Amino acid sequence: MNEEHLSRIQAIAEAALLAAGRPLSLDQLRELFTEDDRPARQIMEHVMMLLGQACEGRGFELRKVASGYRLQVREEFAPWVSRLFEEKPQRYSRALLETLALIAYRQPITRGEIEDVRGVTVSSNIIRTLLEREWVRVVGHRDVPGRPAMYATTRQFLDYFNLTGLDQLPPLSEIRDLEEIGREIEKSIQAEIKFDSAPAEPAGDNPPDQTIH
């Protein structure tokens, strides 16, 4: 395949990622082409490498996440780009961040097990917010009296925090406590600005800039 053809595939992939507003997998990108013109998976991987290199030194980058590839603003430019949007980023309570951290690191985990670790009751609003944001999901029920739901993180959770897998979470041995995990998650949330859209709308009935307890 000659250089001109590779450049054409690269341009098509870039246009699709800009238009999609969400991550696209290699297979989804390949399906943009007719069966006769569809590049092999190995070729498509090479094209994405070229596209990533083409983004070097620019205000946006090609990032691989759990669901595929996306174009997004580089984190270092977030303070300036965020001024385009009147709506302030969603704020989250320490309780919500600690709950999310426990689910991420100890999944699958029940609400009761989260409460045992934190020593306080987990409000229904927190669980509802995490489910509505599609950061967590119910993956089964613990085989104990009452059969409580077990929660785990989702592919959307990985995408939002620029992860391809849970193995990219920092080791627990490097983090002192749940509060520190919460601060790291909040830092990621505040810095998260997609290339294609404004920050996400708050989940549930909470108005912008209102802490969820």
Side-chain angles (χ1 to χ4, degrees):
M1 186 172 291
N2 59 41
E3 185 175 343
E4 182 179 355
H5 196 183
L6 286 175
S7 295
R8 177 68 174 172
I9 296 174
Q10 178 181 324
I12 291 171
E14 181 176 353
L17 290 172
L18 285 170
R22 58 184 174 83
L24 296 176
S25 68
L26 280 179
D27 288 337
Q28 288 174 317
L29 289 168
R30 292 177 62 236
E31 288 172 2
L32 299 173
F33 301 85
T34 63
E35 189 172 348
D36 292 338
D37 295 331
R38 187 168 299 153
R41 187 178 181 84
Q42 185 176 3
I43 295 295
M44 202 72 224
E45 289 177 344
H46 180 64
V47 166
M48 300 313 290
M49 181 191 71
L50 294 176
L51 179 56
Q53 293 174 349
C55 294
E56 291 180 3
R58 306 186 69 175
F60 59 92
E61 63 182 342
L62 179 70
R63 179 62 71 97
K64 185 176 182 181
V65 294
S67 296
Y69 296 85
R70 72 178 174 211
L71 289 170
Q72 64 183 43
V73 170
R74 293 186 185 276
E75 186 175 328
E76 61 190 286
F77 301 117
W80 292 274
V81 177
S82 64
R83 293 171 188 152
L84 290 171
F85 311 112
E86 294 181 1
E87 184 174 319
K88 295 181 180 180
Q90 174 73 49
R91 292 168 56 211
Y92 295 97
S93 68
R94 172 182 170 183
L96 182 143
L97 296 174
E98 290 183 356
T99 299
L100 179 59
L102 279 170
I103 295 173
Y105 279 94
R106 301 195 179 186
Q107 58 188 296
I109 188 171
T110 67
R111 182 170 170 175
E113 290 166 343
I114 295 171
E115 293 173 344
D116 288 342
V117 174
R118 295 192 63 241
V120 295
T121 300
V122 176
S123 76
S124 298
N125 190 43
I126 285 178
I127 298 298
R128 184 176 69 249
T129 298
L130 294 176
L131 289 170
E132 288 178 348
R133 292 226 60 158
E134 297 185 344
W135 285 350
V136 305
R137 64 189 179 96
V138 176
V139 294
H141 293 81
R142 188 76 74 200
D143 192 17
V144 296
R147 294 183 57 78
M150 295 187 295
Y151 298 97
T153 53
T154 63
R155 187 176 293 271
Q156 288 88 339
F157 166 83
L158 295 174
D159 290 346
Y160 193 89
F161 292 103
N162 284 331
L163 305 172
T164 57
L166 292 171
D167 58 339
Q168 291 187 325
L169 288 170
L172 277 174
S173 60
E174 296 180 5
I175 300 178
R176 293 191 304 274
D177 53 32
L178 285 176
E179 185 174 1
E180 184 175 344
I181 296 175
R183 286 197 298 270
E184 288 301 312
I185 291 177
E186 186 171 31
K187 181 180 177 182
S188 297
I189 291 172
Q190 300 304 323
E192 180 69 11
I193 299 178
K194 300 295 188 299
F195 179 81
D196 48 88
S197 64
E201 293 289 334
D205 298 326
N206 299 283
D209 200 33
Q210 177 176 328
T211 301
I212 299 175
H213 298 287

